[in-house]
Amino acid sequence: MNILKQLVLTKHRFSGLTRHCRALRSSYLHSSTDASVEVHSPEQEVVIALGSNVGDRLDNFNNTLELMNKSGINITRHACLYETAPAYVTDQPNFLNSAVRAITKLGPHELLGVLKQIEKDMGRSDGIRYGPRPIDLDILFYGKFKVHSDILTIPHERIWERPFVMAPLMDLLGSSADCDTVTCWHSFSPLSGGLLEFWEKMGGESLIGKEGMKRVLPIESGLWDWSQRTSIMGILNVTPDSFSDGGKFVSVEAAVTQARLMISEGADMIDIGAQSTRPMASRISAEEELDRLMPVLEAVAGMPEAEGKLISVDTFYSGVASEAVSKGAHLVNDVSAGQLDSNMLRVVASLRVPYIAMHMRGEPHTMQNSENLQYDDVCKQIASEIYSRVKDAELSGIPAWRVIIDPGIGFSKKTEHDLDILGGLPNIRAEIGRKSFGVSHAPMLIGPSRKKFLGHICSRIVADERDPATIACVTAGVLGGANIVRVHNVRDNADSVKVCDAMLKQRSTKNLS
């Protein structure tokens, strides 16, 4: 019989967590001591850790997630993705590590059996303990319960000595507990302040990028550590009606020339858009968008200069995204974060490419109406709404480790809102972190380039006269934590980014000394 020992807290006092956590914890104080119970609840929330260092590690992860969802393990939240040096047995390749939260009706030992079968199906065989493996799956938490049997111990007994397990585990939490079960998980910590205090004592964020552990985003055929420097995304509009450069690059020849110029000036990515999303823009069909986009995309992707660079497609149509990726695009940049095409999230999940989820209310034709411009606290509300969109993406099968967030400067915003965003990027991250540390750590893109609010502030009616103002925005954004800047003028903004990155590196060096 699978017997679980229900958590009791009569022997421990906890401090240092949020008031919310302390309030929730009180509901366990009257549990009967050492009560042995079987799980009768139809569903339990679980945390499962993943690791891989044999074969195509990312493909192993993707296939494992599919098998888990098909086996009665319904994944609801993903941690970030980490590349880590091997532990215990060090003479082996680096690992990819992550973790997921999921809901399951499986009992704990049933769950263990399913995970062991998935490991076997993925090619794992008996070998050296802690040695190489295509996939390794460990149950970290199972509901509010502790499990002790000959084959299973929950919480997993080695959580407390493994930063490569603690980091993804923390990503699945927020600074505020979102349910009683999470509060219970905090209580498993050896320290009174819960998992948050334990992670900080272990080293916390200071461990990322050191001791063989870096946070990465899979893109094209590699892993991108976006913390090393800020990336430049060059804007290539192949539209007749974009607010800044509409009509300039509609021909394939002109578009290729512009892409080549931006790459020579320092662009890391080229974002190709074939539909204007300026305020009041009329929507064209997916078919018309494809007719504009595909000749340019194929030509740019075939440029020798594009080797090693990334191509993004700026679209809110799932059909356009799918066709673009099949012809060489590496990312999907969706201004609606899945709100304008009900198939977008499902399609991007199947494409397995990074997804830029931008904040916008309404759609381009309505985003600047009075209803969509109402904010009490713009940074707080943007954070909440972005998190909601990312949560939808995760439930559709897009792991958080493939998401890039964009606060949507200029989209359903007034001038004062855009300024609040530029000065409040850390606040947006912190607010997202109340619900999900993992999403708060996602790469952040900002796109202030030549936007109308800069024209209002600087009295520049002509869009391409707003480049100096754009540089000021980029400077503020990078120093505030932006990881990607989307700009028209690559050369001048690239210089701004280099200075900002140097400043940030200097600041980091001084903090370490």
Side-chain angles (χ1 to χ4, degrees), residues 123-302:
R124 182 172 177 178
S125 57
D126 293 337
I128 303 172
R129 190 180 187 192
Y130 307 127
R133 72 288 305 268
I135 198 69
D136 183 40
L137 301 172
D138 289 317
I139 306 171
L140 303 185
F141 295 134
Y142 183 93
K144 301 175 185 177
F145 299 97
K146 287 185 175 181
V147 182
H148 296 286
S149 73
D150 292 340
I151 60 172
L152 182 61
T153 299
I154 302 174
H156 194 283
E157 55 192 344
R158 294 195 179 273
I159 291 175
W160 319 114
E161 64 186 54
R162 297 175 171 178
F164 61 87
V165 173
M166 279 298 299
L169 171 58
M170 293 304 301
D171 288 340
L172 299 174
L173 309 176
S175 59
S176 297
D178 56 22
C179 63
D180 287 4
T181 300
V182 169
T183 299
C184 189
W185 295 344
H186 278 293
S187 73
F188 289 137
S189 168
L191 300 181
S192 62
L195 298 170
L196 300 174
E197 182 182 353
F198 189 88
W199 173 234
E200 288 304 313
K201 187 171 183 180
M202 184 180 276
E205 273 297 300
S206 68
L207 296 177
I208 311 302
K210 302 172 190 175
E211 299 184 10
M213 182 165 62
K214 59 184 179 179
R215 193 177 282 128
V216 294
L217 183 144
I219 192 165
E220 197 181 11
S221 58
L223 297 171
W224 175 39
D225 179 0
W226 65 90
S227 68
Q228 296 302 301
R229 66 178 182 85
T230 306
S231 294
I232 307 287
M233 174 182 279
I235 300 169
L236 183 59
N237 289 319
V238 292
T239 57
D241 56 344
S242 290
F243 78 93
S244 173
D245 50 12
K248 289 186 177 181
F249 310 117
V250 292
S251 74
V252 174
E253 182 180 2
V256 168
T257 298
Q258 178 66 5
R260 185 175 289 118
L261 173 64
M262 290 192 290
I263 289 172
S264 72
E265 292 178 340
D268 303 289
M269 311 173 183
I270 301 296
D271 188 44
I272 307 177
Q275 174 146 209
S276 175
T277 53
R278 62 177 173 77
M280 299 302 295
S282 298
R283 187 187 303 192
I284 62 171
S285 67
E287 292 72 23
E288 187 175 353
E289 186 175 330
L290 281 169
D291 287 343
R292 292 177 182 176
L293 173 70
M294 296 313 297
V296 172
L297 172 60
E298 293 185 56
V300 171

Side-chain angles (χ1 to χ4, degrees), residues 97-117:
N97 288 105
S98 192
V100 296
R101 280 171 69 171
I103 301 294
T104 186
K105 294 181 180 180
L106 299 170
H109 289 80
E110 290 179 287
L111 176 60
L112 177 65
V114 166
L115 295 180
K116 292 301 181 186
Q117 184 61 49

Side-chain angles (χ1 to χ4, degrees), residues 9 19-31 183:
L9 302 176
R19 291 181 180 178
H20 181 56
C21 290
R22 288 199 296 269
L24 288 175
R25 186 176 292 116
S26 66
S27 67
Y28 301 104
L29 292 175
H30 299 96
S31 300
T183 299

Side-chain angles (χ1 to χ4, degrees), residues 374-385:
Q374 297 301 313
Y375 297 92
D376 295 321
D377 182 326
V378 67
C379 289
K380 185 174 182 178
Q381 289 172 261
I382 285 173
S384 177
E385 291 167 28

